Amino acid sequence: MTTVSSDTLVVGQQATGADITVPVIRFTGTGAAPSVYIQANIHGAEVQGNAVIHHLVELFKAHPPKGDVCLVPMANPLGINQKSGEFTLGRFDPITGENWNRQYHFEASLIEQLVQTHLNAPEVEVAAALRRAMAAQIDAKLASPFGVKSGQHLALRLQKMALQADIVLDLHTGPISARHLYVPSYAQERAHLFNIPLNIVIPSDFAGALDEASFSPWWQLSEAMAAQGRALPVMVDAFTLELGSQEYLNVAAARNDAMGIARYLQHRGVLGAFDLTLPEIPQYACTLENYRAIYSPCGGQIEYLAPLGVPASAEQVLARIWHFDALATSRQQSRELRLPEDVIPVLHFASASVRQGTELYKVLTHYYPLTGADG
């Protein structure tokens, strides 16, 4: 029988000495199936994932998961409460200036050691050994006599929970954004199950994010084993889901993304059979190197014109930059922003006032229909 419990995890300490805690919800599975870790709101303004977790809790109560599931809404109370007037500034640690989602840990040296000691070991032993080695890295980092940063106290404790899972999903949003998914290339054939329209296919590199900290060790182990003549699958799937725009909550709309996650989990055997029919939508993908930023050629006030998530043809006007300081003068009062190739705008800068060199849009270039997607 599935059981559900809730608890809190201490992730740091305030200047007053009070503990900083995050909520943790656990479903104990009914049988042998992949285990799952899902967190939301590591960036303070990115709240929509919490609503997705709300729907997942209700879904798991109605359809008990076969594998263990750990859910962490509101994963960063420091960032959530990092306010300036009406805005939430919780993308960067105010003490260090570092991105809250770039402070996880992985030292690749353990992969070579593991290949040497477990080249011919059964898969279950290899998996257990990698988890032990990663946990030891995290514990050693936290126990450093020189201490660690506040963001690392949070990130490393979350990562240690995620380390136990076979599937890791990190729920985010963009500034002003269409829904999109970061997909490790080895898992591209499963990406369409989430029913997210835009997909960015990423390599095995580790740059500090939770999805990378979760899949990179397993992916690099698989590649290192292959170099020694052993075929070993990548045993952990990890995705970052970008579920719309920051500072915006729509609990009803979050149900669609919860159903997409449930469909993926059903495909992986975590959930039993029940109807998860989703509306058919076109889905596109591009590689990370073709996910391009567009920077403002000048300062001014910007009028964003290109709809997000919709293919824009070459030379289509994406935005118009106004120069209101030039009113009643002979100077040019506006400038149109175009690109020489077809793109799909994914997100844009939140402010209408920009300096020269401000990142305005991120776009898919050289995009293609996602394999396995409907529509």
Side-chain angles (χ1 to χ4, degrees):
M1 179 178 179
T2 296
T3 60
V4 58
S5 62
S6 61
D7 201 350
T8 57
L9 174 72
V10 176
V11 294
Q13 194 173 74
Q14 298 185 48
T16 60
D19 286 339
I20 302 167
T21 63
V22 299
V24 180
I25 304 160
R26 297 183 188 274
F27 286 82
T28 302
T30 58
S35 55
V36 182
Y37 175 87
I38 303 174
Q39 76 174 31
N41 210 175
I42 195 66
H43 290 140
E46 301 180 10
V47 298
Q48 183 68 2
N50 298 320
V52 173
I53 289 179
H54 157 72
H55 287 292
L56 289 173
V57 168
E58 297 307 307
L59 185 145
F60 294 152
K61 288 179 179 177
H63 303 280
K66 298 179 180 181
D68 294 342
V69 178
C70 178
L71 302 164
V72 184
M74 297 188 295
N76 183 0
L78 293 166
I80 293 166
N81 288 292
Q82 191 182 336
K83 303 290 291 186
S84 179
E86 63 184 289
F87 299 105
T88 308
L89 303 180
R91 184 173 183 81
F92 302 99
D93 184 339
I95 298 171
T96 66
E98 294 181 44
N99 189 325
W100 290 110
N101 191 38
R102 294 295 184 274
Q103 301 192 56
Y104 302 96
H105 186 66
F106 168 52
E107 292 178 5
S109 58
L110 67 84
I111 299 300
E112 182 180 350
Q113 298 168 10
L114 204 60
V115 171
Q116 291 174 357
T117 57
H118 289 74
L119 180 60
N120 298 309
E123 282 186 17
V124 64
E125 291 183 17
V126 175
L130 179 52
R131 286 194 165 97
R132 285 195 302 270
M134 285 292 298
Q137 275 195 359
I138 293 169
D139 288 342
K141 188 78 172 175
L142 284 168
S144 168
F146 295 94
V148 297
K149 302 171 187 176
S150 57
Q152 291 173 317
H153 276 287
L154 170 69
L156 296 176
R157 287 173 168 84
L158 294 173
Q159 184 183 353
K160 195 168 182 183
M161 286 198 299
L163 177 62
Q164 304 309 313
D166 304 304
I167 296 165
V168 176
L169 306 178
D170 195 11
L171 310 185
H172 287 253
T173 65
I176 306 298
S177 179
R179 291 160 55 245
H180 56 289
L181 178 70
Y182 285 94
V183 183
S185 64
Y186 70 84
Q188 185 172 341
E189 67 180 16
R190 297 185 285 280
H192 72 96
L193 295 163
F194 292 100
N195 214 40
I196 290 177
L198 307 177
N199 298 264
I200 300 149
V201 181
I202 57 179
S204 63
D205 302 337
F206 174 68
L210 180 62
D211 60 347
E212 299 160 348
S214 300
F215 67 62
S216 287
W218 302 92
W219 197 350
Q220 292 183 29
L221 177 62
S222 176
E223 292 175 333
M225 287 287 196
Q228 296 300 316
R230 178 179 179 180
L232 184 74
V234 181
M235 290 184 275
V236 168
D237 267 3
F239 300 86
T240 291
L241 289 73
E242 301 277 356
L243 304 176
S245 302
Q246 65 187 23
E247 298 280 30
Y248 179 75
L249 181 67
N250 187 326
V251 177
R255 185 178 184 278
N256 293 328
D257 287 313
M259 293 304 102
I261 290 171
R263 186 167 75 167
Y264 165 80
L265 295 178
Q266 190 179 66
H267 176 81
R268 293 295 313 277
V270 178
L271 293 173
F274 61 96
D275 182 39
L276 278 169
T277 303
L278 297 173
E280 295 184 1
I281 61 170
Q283 298 180 56
Y284 300 99
C286 79
T287 61
L288 183 62
E289 65 182 356
N290 289 319
Y291 182 45
R292 301 286 303 275
I294 303 171
Y295 300 96
S296 182
C298 57
Q301 280 71 52
I302 186 165
E303 183 180 7
Y304 298 101
L305 300 175
L308 297 177
V310 179
S313 60
E315 296 301 322
Q316 180 177 331
V317 179
L318 300 180
R320 185 171 290 108
I321 304 169
W322 289 90
H323 306 294
F324 295 123
D325 58 320
L327 296 178
T329 73
S330 59
R331 290 167 49 209
Q332 182 178 349
Q333 295 184 19
S334 68
R335 176 173 178 172
E336 292 180 343
L337 179 68
R338 307 169 188 264
L339 292 176
E341 59 185 286
D342 295 350
V343 300
I344 302 179
V346 177
L347 57 83
H348 67 67
F349 192 57
S351 176
S353 295
V354 301
R355 295 171 60 177
Q356 186 179 45
T358 297
E359 183 182 287
L360 300 181
Y361 280 98
K362 281 192 172 179
V363 298
L364 303 187
T365 69
H366 303 288
Y367 58 86
Y368 51 88
L370 183 67
T371 302
D374 298 323

